[in-house]
Amino acid sequence: MRIDALPDGPPSQRWHVLGDELVTVRPARPEDAGRIGEYIRGLSFASRYRRFLGPVNELAPADLHRMTHGNDAAPPALIVETGDGDARTVIGEARYAFDGIACEFALSVSDAWRGRGVGTLLMGIMEERAKLRGAHYLVGDILRSNQPMLALAHKLGFAVTRPVLDDSLFKVTKCLSRLDAVQTLNEGLSRELPVAA
Ligand SMILES: CC(C)(COP(=O)(O)OP(=O)(O)OC[C@H]1O[C@@H](n2cnc3c(N)ncnc32)[C@H](O)[C@@H]1OP(=O)(O)O)[C@@H](O)C(=O)NCCC(=O)NCCS
């Protein structure tokens, strides 16, 4: 897999994903609300369930507003698109929000674009942005049955723990600062001990 940044920089970044196919990653804008809503409706029920940790058919206007405007804790969503102009299609989205020293993420990739590096690309961008904002940890809640996301998190070096209050979830945590990484290893969250009760 080859992913190269092209030099046109934020807010619109172009990347190669697998061979000649180009995708754009950029923060969502207010006028994207309709297209993001359509993208979410186009995901399979299982994908939406995994993304939102429950049965969601479509996003409420308030959710779309948050995704396209952001707020103090969370920047606008990142969206991944193919095509140009009116032919643009949303093929992935990611949200990240800051809570003290942690940055929490959630993302999805369209069913047709799975396994081509889009999820890895979004995770990498969120990690960079979390570091820039000074977050010490990148964290996410993942359904225990969500093997693709757990595999992706494992591949990217996240430690996996079981939240005390919700049996259906794993929490994945990646330390973004060296000091915290040492501390986390001392607390037994190393990759040799992937699941701590
Ligand atoms: C999880 C998800 C985002 C992965 O996106 P993706 O673009 O397919 O991921 P990538 O192509 O970057 O895959 C990277 C790694 O993830 C793992 N992975 C991805 N899909 C997998 C699958 N179906 N089975 C097992 N591992 C998988 C692999 O380790 C893969 O590395 P490899 O290609 O070297 O084997 C996507 O499956 C998705 O949108 N799922 C529904 C929503 C969701 O679960 N969101 C997570 C909530 S936080």
Side-chain angles (χ1 to χ4, degrees):
M1 181 194 315
R2 201 167 66 93
I3 300 176
D4 303 318
L6 294 179
D8 59 348
S12 182
Q13 302 175 334
R14 291 210 160 237
W15 307 77
H16 275 168
V17 177
L18 282 185
D20 293 335
E21 302 217 52
L22 285 176
V23 300
T24 304
V25 184
R26 64 172 172 83
R29 295 189 286 257
E31 62 269 27
D32 295 316
R35 297 170 60 244
I36 295 173
E38 191 182 336
Y39 161 78
I40 296 293
R41 279 193 301 276
L43 291 173
S44 66
F45 180 80
S47 294
R48 284 195 302 269
Y49 198 102
R50 288 176 163 180
R51 165 64 174 86
F52 297 104
L53 307 178
V56 167
N57 286 325
E58 62 181 343
L59 294 182
D63 298 325
L64 287 168
H65 188 274
R66 271 193 292 278
M67 287 186 81
T68 51
H69 291 73
N71 55 37
D72 287 347
L78 293 169
I79 59 172
V80 190
E81 297 173 294
T82 57
D84 285 317
D86 291 342
R88 285 174 300 150
T89 306
V90 178
I91 60 159
E93 56 74 39
R95 289 220 71 197
Y96 56 111
F98 295 90
D99 177 14
I101 59 173
C103 173
E104 185 169 2
F105 72 86
L107 77 162
S108 69
V109 175
S110 75
D111 297 68
W113 272 80
R114 300 276 166 81
R116 297 163 79 172
V118 179
T120 304
L121 174 63
L122 283 168
M123 290 296 294
I125 294 172
M126 287 191 285
E127 183 173 332
E128 280 310 309
R129 292 185 177 214
K131 282 180 183 163
L132 282 173
R133 281 267 297 244
H136 291 215
Y137 302 97
L138 189 56
V139 301
D141 287 333
I142 300 176
L143 288 171
R144 289 178 64 175
S145 57
N146 191 350
Q147 279 308 317
M149 188 61 220
L150 288 168
L152 174 55
H154 185 261
K155 187 178 174 187
L156 296 177
F158 283 77
V160 183
T161 53
R162 205 170 282 161
V164 178
L165 295 178
D166 193 335
D167 223 20
S168 67
L169 298 176
F170 284 134
K171 184 168 281 296
V172 295
T173 304
K174 183 169 183 175
C175 295
L176 305 179
S177 74
R178 284 191 194 164
L179 198 62
D180 290 324
V182 170
Q183 191 179 344
T184 301
L185 287 172
N186 286 340
E187 287 168 358
L189 300 182
S190 73
R191 291 177 67 174
E192 287 75 39
L193 289 172
V195 179

